[in-house]
Amino acid sequence: MKKIILLGYMGCGKSTIANKLSNCIEIPFVDLDKKIEEKANLSINAIFEKHGEIYFRKLEHQLFVELLNSPETLIIGLGGGTPCYANNHELLKEKGVVAIYLKASIDTLFNRLSLNKSKRPLIADKNDSEMKEFIAIHLFERSFYYNQAQYKVVVDDKTIDEVVEDIITILA
Ligand SMILES: Nc1ncnc2c1ncn2[C@@H]1O[C@H](COP(=O)(O)OP(=O)(O)OP(=O)(O)O)[C@@H](O)[C@H]1O
Ligand SMILES: O=C(O)C1=C[C@@H](O)[C@@H](O)[C@H](O)C1
Ligand SMILES: [Mg+2]
């Protein structure tokens, strides 16, 4: 069955857009970060603290594969790093997968993430200038993986509804 996958950097809007899209097209949405938290019975922050990032990445890969192999048609919101580890980017090209990169600029990401960074362990302890530099370098490093997606939607200066409309057009 079909899997619609939203991917992109932390704060690009994967969870927000996927929720709205799910209501509009009546396809259930699964947030991979939430799925990981449920499986581990811990928050993402606690998983990083208690078990470390490598454990997190293994669990992330395992649950991503499980979702891809599930029989339902689903919208899957990936974690910000999902395509960049464990060859997950290759899974984006599988049959029945429509992968959409929500592309946001450094400024958009910085503005959104500075409002709420405590739940994001990779940036939680950074001040504004450290965070801006981190986002710039990290986004550059990750772009190769994000660009493996079949489609790209630029989200800067668009409302949530406009991004959802762009995705519906892609899916039509
Ligand atoms: N198009 C948009 N316009 C304005 N604000 C937006 C838009 N899309 C998302 N947001 C806001 O940006 C913030 C980050 O969005 P969200 O949590 O959905 O990102 P995410 O990609 O799921 O991040 P993470 O990878 O950390 O889970 C939220 O406060 C959300 O309300
Ligand atoms: O960009 C990342 O590597 C991450 C993004 C979040 O969605 C979570 O999956 C976690 O905080 C790691
Ligand atoms: Mg999210």
Side-chain angles (χ1 to χ4, degrees):
M1 273 293 147
K2 198 159 146 184
K3 304 291 186 284
I4 299 160
I5 297 185
L6 301 189
L7 60 113
Y9 201 77
M10 286 178 279
C12 70
K14 299 175 294 292
S15 305
T16 311
I17 301 295
N19 255 314
K20 189 90 196 240
L21 179 67
S22 171
N23 290 333
C24 289
I25 63 176
E26 296 182 346
I27 294 176
F29 160 48
V30 182
D31 192 300
L32 184 58
D33 280 336
K34 277 206 186 132
K35 189 105 188 148
I36 295 168
E37 291 183 325
E38 282 163 18
K39 180 81 179 181
N41 207 14
L42 290 170
S43 69
I44 301 278
N45 267 337
I47 300 172
F48 269 70
E49 267 167 33
K50 218 173 150 192
H51 300 292
E53 184 171 353
I54 294 174
Y55 174 92
F56 173 82
R57 296 301 173 192
K58 283 188 183 157
L59 195 53
E60 178 179 52
H61 174 71
Q62 181 196 323
L63 294 176
F64 182 35
V65 170
E66 239 173 62
L67 282 177
L68 285 177
N69 291 335
S70 74
E72 308 102 293
T73 294
L74 290 177
I75 299 169
I76 305 172
L78 298 186
T82 313
C84 318
Y85 294 88
N87 267 340
N88 291 333
H89 66 288
E90 293 294 344
L91 303 176
L92 302 176
K93 297 172 194 161
E94 283 192 353
K95 205 167 139 264
V97 170
V98 182
I100 303 170
Y101 170 26
L102 301 183
K103 187 168 194 268
S105 67
I106 298 164
D107 282 343
T108 298
L109 295 169
F110 174 77
N111 290 335
R112 290 191 193 163
L113 291 171
S114 52
L115 295 176
N116 186 356
K117 58 184 182 183
S118 64
K119 288 189 185 147
R120 295 169 165 110
L122 297 176
I123 53 169
D125 59 349
K126 298 197 183 330
N127 67 33
D128 278 4
S129 72
E130 287 169 340
M131 196 162 93
K132 195 144 194 176
E133 192 182 342
F134 178 82
I135 293 170
I137 295 171
H138 210 203
L139 185 61
F140 177 76
E141 288 167 354
R142 287 181 164 188
S143 290
F144 167 80
Y145 299 97
Y146 295 153
N147 282 314
Q148 303 299 311
Q150 206 177 345
Y151 299 100
K152 178 162 62 183
V153 172
V154 175
V155 300
D156 302 312
D157 304 319
K158 284 183 190 155
T159 63
I160 293 165
D161 284 346
E162 284 170 333
V163 176
V164 170
E165 277 308 314
D166 285 354
I167 296 175
I168 290 174
T169 305
I170 286 171
L171 298 174

